[in-house]
Amino acid sequence: MIDFRQELNDAQYEAVTYNDGPSLVIAGAGSGKTRVLTYKIAYLLENGYEPWTLLALTFTNKAAREMKERIATQVGANRAHYLWMGTFHSIFGSILRREAAHIGFTSSYTIYDEDNTKSLIRSILKELQLDEKVYKPGAVIHRISTAKNHLITAAEYGASPDIYASDCASRMPALREVYARYANRCKQANALDFDDMLLYTYLLFRGHPDVLEKYRQQFRYVLVDEYQDTNYAQHQIIVQLAGEHRHICVVGDDAQSIYSFRGAEIGNILGFTKTFPEARLFKLEQNYRSTQSIVDAANSLIEKNTQQIRKTLFSQLPKGEAIEVVNAASDKDEANIVALRTKRLMRSMGLNYGHVAVLYRTNAQSRSFEETFRKTGIPYRIYGGTSFYQRKEIKDAIAYFRLTVNPSDEEALKRIINFPARGIGSTTVAKLVQAANAHGRSVWDVVCAPDAYGLSLTSGTLSKLRNFKEMITSFIELSLTADAAETVLQIIKRSGLMNEAMADKTEEGFSRQENLKELANAVSDFVDRNREEGNERVALTDYLAEVALLTDQDTDQDPQAEKVTLMTVHAAKGLEFDVVFVVGLEEGLFPSNMVGENMREMEEERRLLYVAMTRAKQVCTLSWAKMRYRYGNMEYQSPSRFLNDIDPRFLSRQESTGRSRQDAPAGRFGNRFGNRFGGRIDSRPTPSPPPTGNRRLVSIPQSDPAAPSSAASSPYPDLVVGSIIEHNRFGIGKVEAIEDSGDNCKATIRFVNAGVKTLLLRYAKLQILK
């Protein structure tokens, strides 16, 4: 027998032992949610329930496996084996196999994965002669998936005037026919996709009350994990199963509802007591993970949300240090600060790199940290994703760059000759390669003059090859005169890579856009850095030489070594680290510029930051950059409004100089916020702030190449050895030496975070502080 009173705190004990009706357990971050679920199941097994009468639904196989293993240690492996515990899809898939005949399938149905679905959708688009540039397969699949997750069948979809009007507005009026044909083809193939497993379970129970009653009788108790992440379909099926006996317990945290882009409905958990009016509400508010300072700061942030079930977390761990808010000069300075602080904390706290995480809002932000960590020797891993330079859209773009610099690069040409799709198929490419090999020439030579190499192609294919040749030729000509930054911007735009990403309205499409923009930022940073170091002409070939070294380092030389974890906040949910850096806390980035002023979406962004902060056990640092590259241009940034949502008592503001100021006034993050209690916050880039006090902006324009170079033309006569300056990318530094004059004048500066740099001053952007 388990001594539940001994094993659980008071709140956990009440939630576990209540068995008189529906219950909603609101489990705050680090409060022992999994512990409550496992002990709840063990309690039921010790109080008259057989394991096969319990249905426990989770979101991942890993969560189900770990929970079953914990239960096995409490009640024995044999009893735990017979639990109906697993993901929504695995459990409902098992039910559908048993009852397949009722929905027009056989029990041997197959399950279509994403590739199968995409392949079938593409076939249907081709049959209907629909342009894939308009009916993007990813966008089509997303729209059909959304319909299924709202329990809308193909027939209902086609009959809805409102849905048809929405499809017309999206320039996809034939979508209802695509959905209908897709549903029919799946049925003909005796196949279900992942969304069908929810849709057909609901339809099975709705259309066959006797089947529903059978499973209600079998599942005497229904338990659901992470209820805040359920979508409409999952919620409705749960109501079908538990709606009669009312023995249901759901566990979750509305403050950690961050997956609306996947269809999660926060209303399911917020409205649970309306669905089950007699439900008891239990709150788990003791945090076992974080210091009290981190918990207090997170509480003060999330209390600003209006849509929530209010609770106040507390911790009995030591108070700990206040959360540091670091104002970096730029995104590069931010990465340098994180690297330096990581090394310092490893020494002072006796930790290893595996105890540290860097969390960001978008995947694209990993690039600056990857590059800085490589240079400073900090091992890292990308959690739940791939290294920046290994992402498909980045590889595609770099293939264009390589072909521009070297048209004879066969592998680059084959990669992008038909991407984005331009009607040059694999058969044509095979003919080009064969002709090139037969004549001992490059494939590019054959592309430029197919007739000269005896290539027999249709007039349409010849026209497409000619257009491709002209595009690449224009890139080559541009690269001979323009710098790498301008060349890259034009290639990304004119190749169709950005349009391809923008046409995909899914989260993945948005991520590809951000990655391409970040690639442009990387090249602009490379150009600016080289100019400041005295390299006048920074061509695309120079950048490719550097990026080749970066991609060469992407191979993990020691997969077993402890590494700093780089990940998006979404990927971090459910994890914990001793040290957490939450970076990029700027308007337009976190919160995302995709949100606008929509209150519902803004509150989810705030919950996202709450999740990020509560991943930290001992140290949490929040950072933002005054300046950041935005699609190749350096722009001023405003600090995130969320920084003003956190009670200043729990913060220590840290300048990139290393100076700190604790208990700063409420308006400490800049006066661009207006009324922080409701005034509109402008998320647009702000202009350069005017000089104040002894800070004076030194405007250093690029010189006219034809103008004579002389010391008299120097725009910075006050800059002397010993001056303290702030650089727009490297942050605070001290001038150690000045040499030459006029256009050739250089300054050697020791930066607090970036080390020693020698800069050509006519290209540098400096503020003299003193």
Side-chain angles (χ1 to χ4, degrees):
M1 295 288 290
I2 301 171
D3 187 344
F4 292 96
R5 175 63 74 181
Q6 181 69 28
E7 295 290 330
L8 304 167
N9 67 31
D10 290 344
Q12 292 171 341
Y13 179 80
E14 288 185 18
V16 164
T17 57
Y18 178 76
N19 195 22
D20 295 330
S23 60
L24 168 61
V25 181
I26 296 298
S31 64
K33 169 182 65 66
T34 303
R35 187 176 186 81
V36 164
L37 261 180
T38 55
Y39 275 88
K40 178 82 173 180
I41 293 169
Y43 180 83
L44 293 172
L45 291 174
E46 287 195 1
N47 286 271
Y49 287 85
E50 296 296 342
W52 51 85
T53 67
L54 302 182
L55 173 63
L57 297 167
T58 66
F59 274 86
T60 66
N61 289 314
K62 180 174 180 284
R65 184 171 59 254
E66 290 177 353
M67 204 176 298
K68 186 172 283 192
E69 288 172 355
R70 290 194 192 186
I71 294 168
T73 63
Q74 296 168 339
V75 302
N78 187 52
R79 298 201 79 196
H81 174 75
Y82 291 101
L83 289 167
W84 275 69
M85 176 179 287
T87 65
F88 286 87
H89 291 90
S90 66
I91 295 294
F92 296 157
S94 297
I95 292 173
L96 290 177
R97 288 202 186 279
R98 289 182 170 191
E99 314 295 342
H102 289 96
I103 56 172
F105 289 81
T106 73
S107 60
S108 60
Y109 70 78
T110 55
I111 299 173
Y112 277 178
D113 61 17
E114 291 181 14
D115 290 339
N116 301 140
T117 296
K118 185 170 285 189
S119 176
L120 179 53
I121 288 293
R122 280 194 163 129
S123 296
I124 292 169
L125 294 176
K126 191 172 183 179
E127 293 164 12
L128 295 174
Q129 297 183 324
L130 298 173
D131 186 357
E132 280 197 24
K133 293 180 180 177
V134 178
Y135 290 82
K136 289 282 186 185
V140 171
I141 292 168
H142 176 72
R143 214 164 175 90
I144 292 174
S145 174
T146 299
K148 289 181 178 181
N149 285 324
H150 284 84
L151 303 175
I152 300 170
T153 65
E156 292 166 339
Y157 193 99
S160 169
D162 291 340
I163 291 176
Y164 179 65
S166 176
D167 288 345
C168 289
S170 300
R171 297 176 58 232
M172 294 191 290
L175 200 55
R176 56 186 180 179
E177 189 172 353
V178 176
Y179 184 7
R181 190 168 292 203
Y182 175 73
N184 288 334
R185 294 280 281 278
C186 285
K187 184 160 278 193
Q188 289 170 14
N190 195 37
L192 302 176
D193 63 27
F194 288 107
D195 297 317
D196 285 331
M197 298 171 86
L198 301 179
L199 174 62
Y200 277 107
T201 300
Y202 175 80
L203 295 176
L204 169 68
F205 290 158
R206 188 183 70 179
H208 301 275
D210 57 326
V211 176
L212 174 58
E213 184 59 27
K214 179 175 73 173
Y215 285 99
R216 281 176 174 169
Q217 292 294 325
Q218 177 177 343
F219 301 133
R220 294 176 54 205
Y221 216 110
V222 178
L223 304 102
V224 188
D225 190 17
E226 303 284 11
Y227 203 70
Q228 77 280 351
D229 295 335
T230 54
N231 62 25
Y232 178 78
Q234 291 161 334
H235 174 73
Q236 291 301 319
I237 296 169
I238 290 163
V239 171
Q240 285 177 320
L241 286 169
E244 290 296 318
H245 58 60
R246 322 293 277 184
H247 287 156
I248 179 172
C249 173
V250 302
V251 181
D253 183 7
D254 56 291
Q256 297 186 70
S257 178
I258 59 174
Y259 294 120
S260 65
F261 67 93
R262 295 180 185 169
E265 295 275 358
I266 191 174
N268 293 343
I269 194 168
L270 294 179
F272 184 83
T273 53
K274 292 182 180 178
T275 305
F276 297 91
E278 74 276 33
R280 277 278 304 273
L281 173 64
F282 299 92
K283 297 180 182 180
L284 307 183
E285 297 176 299
Q286 182 172 352
N287 179 290
Y288 289 92
R289 175 189 301 150
S290 308
T291 65
Q292 188 63 50
S293 290
I294 293 172
V295 169
D296 286 340
N299 282 340
S300 70
L301 169 74
I302 202 63
E303 73 177 11
K304 306 303 187 298
N305 273 9
T306 58
Q307 292 188 324
Q308 63 171 299
I309 298 172
R310 296 196 178 275
K311 61 184 178 301
T312 303
L313 292 186
F314 66 92
S315 174
Q316 293 185 344
L317 296 174
K319 181 180 179 181
E321 298 295 323
I323 289 182
E324 287 187 319
V325 179
V326 177
N327 173 202
S330 67
D331 47 354
K332 178 173 284 295
D333 188 41
E334 181 181 49
N336 284 329
I337 290 169
V338 169
L340 289 171
R341 289 183 177 224
T342 295
K343 289 192 171 185
R344 188 190 73 203
L345 288 169
M346 294 308 92
R347 293 190 299 268
S348 64
M349 297 176 65
L351 302 175
N352 61 50
Y353 288 118
H355 293 112
V356 181
V358 180
L359 309 183
Y360 35 75
R361 180 64 182 83
T362 67
N363 271 308
Q365 290 169 260
S366 75
R367 195 266 311 171
S368 61
F369 294 96
E370 289 185 66
E371 293 182 4
T372 299
F373 283 5
R374 283 170 177 148
K375 291 174 182 176
T376 54
I378 295 177
Y380 70 89
R381 64 174 181 143
I382 306 290
Y383 182 91
T386 55
S387 177
F388 182 81
Y389 289 101
Q390 295 301 320
R391 294 168 192 166
K392 180 185 180 301
E393 58 274 16
I394 302 303
K395 285 188 168 185
D396 291 336
I398 289 174
Y400 272 100
F401 304 165
R402 286 166 47 192
L403 195 63
T404 297
V405 167
N406 175 20
S408 297
D409 188 332
E410 180 177 327
E411 292 306 309
L413 185 146
K414 288 191 296 186
R415 183 180 182 98
I416 53 87
I417 191 170
N418 197 41
F419 189 82
R422 51 179 62 91
I424 303 174
S426 56
T427 301
T428 300
V429 174
K431 289 180 179 179
L432 292 170
V433 173
Q434 186 177 16
N437 291 337
H439 291 85
R441 302 302 297 268
S442 71
V443 179
W444 174 252
D445 290 336
V446 182
V447 168
C448 291
D451 291 341
Y453 296 95
L455 210 57
S456 177
L457 300 170
T458 66
S459 59
T461 300
L462 287 171
S463 176
K464 291 166 185 173
L465 282 176
R466 184 165 53 252
N467 291 339
F468 176 72
K469 181 202 76 171
E470 290 173 356
M471 179 182 67
I472 298 300
T473 300
S474 72
F475 295 159
I476 293 170
E477 293 172 350
L478 176 66
S479 70
L480 298 176
T481 56
D483 64 30
E486 179 59 26
T487 304
V488 162
L489 284 171
Q490 291 302 316
I491 290 175
I492 291 174
K493 178 181 178 181
R494 287 157 50 186
S495 66
L497 287 175
M498 183 58 77
N499 287 340
E500 174 80 11
M502 292 178 69
D504 184 350
K505 303 303 181 183
T506 66
E507 188 76 11
E508 290 75 15
F510 176 72
S511 181
R512 287 197 294 274
Q513 293 175 45
E514 292 299 302
N515 284 333
L516 288 170
K517 291 176 182 177
E518 184 61 24
L519 180 61
N521 295 340
V523 182
S524 293
D525 179 43
F526 175 78
V527 170
D528 289 348
R529 173 162 42 91
N530 274 269
R531 279 181 174 163
E532 286 183 321
E533 292 172 357
N535 302 319
E536 295 283 335
R537 173 90 168 92
V538 188
L540 186 57
T541 50
D542 300 314
Y543 176 71
L544 285 175
E546 169 149 309
V547 83
L549 297 176
L550 293 172
T551 55
D552 184 58
Q553 295 173 27
D554 279 336
T555 302
D556 193 346
Q557 301 297 327
D558 187 0
Q560 302 303 317
E562 294 289 346
K563 302 176 178 68
V564 173
T565 300
L566 304 181
M567 67 171 88
T568 64
V569 181
H570 283 104
K573 187 171 174 291
L575 303 177
E576 60 182 38
F577 301 88
D578 286 276
V579 176
V580 170
F581 295 93
V582 188
V583 299
L585 280 163
E586 298 137 36
E587 287 293 309
L589 188 55
F590 201 166
S592 167
N593 59 9
M594 302 291 287
V595 171
E597 294 302 317
N598 181 293
M599 185 194 74
R600 182 184 178 91
E601 294 178 356
M602 188 61 70
E603 292 203 347
E604 179 158 331
E605 290 286 301
R606 189 178 283 109
R607 292 195 294 271
L608 197 57
L609 179 55
Y610 173 84
V611 167
M613 292 169 63
T614 54
R615 299 311 93 198
K617 295 164 68 176
Q618 298 186 61
V619 175
C620 181
T621 300
L622 312 178
S623 65
W624 67 282
K626 292 179 184 176
M627 300 193 74
R628 185 177 295 272
Y629 279 102
R630 291 287 199 175
Y631 205 11
N633 296 314
M634 190 65 112
E635 296 179 356
Y636 279 95
Q637 302 298 110
S638 298
S640 170
R641 68 189 72 187
F642 297 151
L643 293 173
N644 272 349
D645 286 341
I646 303 171
D647 192 316
R649 291 177 300 165
F650 311 124
L651 299 177
S652 170
R653 187 182 179 189
Q654 191 83 16
E655 301 286 353
S656 62
T657 58
R659 298 171 300 191
S660 65
R661 185 171 75 252
Q662 199 159 354
D663 300 332
R668 65 205 176 282
F669 297 114
N671 58 10
R672 294 189 283 260
F673 282 72
N675 180 4
R676 64 177 292 225
F677 297 103
R680 185 182 185 280
I681 297 172
D682 192 347
S683 62
R684 294 170 297 180
T686 55
S688 173
T692 59
N694 66 345
R695 295 168 65 94
R696 53 190 183 281
L697 178 65
V698 179
S699 177
I700 308 176
Q702 296 184 15
S703 303
D704 181 350
S709 173
S710 69
S713 65
S714 172
Y716 34 83
D718 294 339
L719 191 70
V720 297
V721 172
S723 291
I724 304 299
I725 60 92
E726 182 173 12
H727 186 271
N728 69 341
R729 285 182 299 128
F730 300 129
I732 305 296
K734 181 177 182 180
V735 178
E736 293 190 338
I738 297 177
E739 56 185 292
D740 296 329
S741 59
D743 284 353
N744 296 319
C745 188
K746 297 177 182 178
T748 299
I749 305 170
R750 182 176 297 276
F751 291 98
V752 172
N753 301 311
V756 178
K757 305 283 183 183
T758 299
L759 306 180
L760 188 64
L761 290 179
R762 69 187 177 108
Y763 285 117
K765 298 292 192 298
L766 305 175
Q767 284 181 312
I768 301 176
L769 303 183
K770 61 180 182 178

